[in-house]
Amino acid sequence: MDRAKMANDFHIAGYSCAQAVVCAFADVMDMPVEQLAALTSCFGGGFRTGEICGVLSGGAMALGARWPHSEAGDMKAKSYAAKKVMQFQKRFQERVPGVRCQEIRDSKPSAEISPAAQRLGLTKSCAIYIVTAVEILEQMLEEA
């Protein structure tokens, strides 16, 4: 399954960055694309305020589905989920110089930060960030 291409296709179709990332992991989340798109419909554009990049929000949702903290008293699960989302953000920042949508959306990233971006011939910042996040998430899911 080419999740990077799926995510890029979702974005081209009109989904936000957050929606594109999370919908590419619909099978992992065991939820229909339509439901995931609805749940993340307000996350794009840094919650529409230029704050935390939507790819990170969408990625955090996918990580939470894989490593949930669903019982209030389960501090081990809470700590593990927090560790995973911090790893995700750290790995993203190793390739992208920030996490705020407003700071990074107008930058001119090189497709070299992402093998999938190179393979798909992507040149726009959001598209590159989307597939970069998908690559990182795939790596993290494989490592588990």
Side-chain angles (χ1 to χ4, degrees):
M1 171 181 310
D2 190 343
R3 289 185 200 278
K5 183 175 180 341
M6 283 175 50
N8 188 57
D9 289 347
F10 283 129
H11 192 244
I12 289 169
Y15 283 128
S16 73
C17 297
Q19 290 170 309
V21 170
V22 79
C23 289
F25 290 90
D27 61 319
V28 172
M29 298 185 72
D30 197 26
M31 293 174 75
V33 166
E34 298 78 16
Q35 187 175 9
L36 290 169
L39 289 171
T40 54
S41 62
C42 295
F43 288 15
F47 290 94
R48 302 293 176 222
T49 63
E51 293 302 323
I52 192 83
C53 177
V55 302
L56 294 170
S57 299
M61 286 187 68
L63 292 171
R66 174 60 181 89
W67 292 289
H69 168 234
S70 55
E71 295 178 26
D74 188 351
M75 295 300 108
K76 183 176 179 181
K78 182 177 183 176
S79 176
Y80 197 73
K83 176 183 170 187
K84 287 298 184 180
V85 78
M86 287 186 293
Q87 279 180 352
F88 175 56
Q89 182 173 320
K90 181 178 185 275
R91 290 181 186 191
F92 186 77
Q93 284 188 281
E94 287 171 355
R95 299 189 200 186
V96 179
V99 296
R100 292 186 64 241
C101 176
Q102 186 173 0
E103 293 173 346
I104 64 175
R105 71 176 163 220
D106 296 326
S107 69
K108 303 291 182 214
S110 167
E112 292 176 6
I113 68 168
S114 163
Q118 290 178 327
R119 178 174 48 81
L120 296 170
L122 304 178
T123 58
K124 294 183 180 178
S125 60
C126 289
I128 293 171
Y129 301 148
I130 288 166
V131 299
T132 298
V134 168
E135 288 174 332
I136 294 167
L137 289 166
E138 287 182 312
Q139 291 167 357
M140 291 180 73
L141 292 171
E142 288 174 11
E143 294 167 2

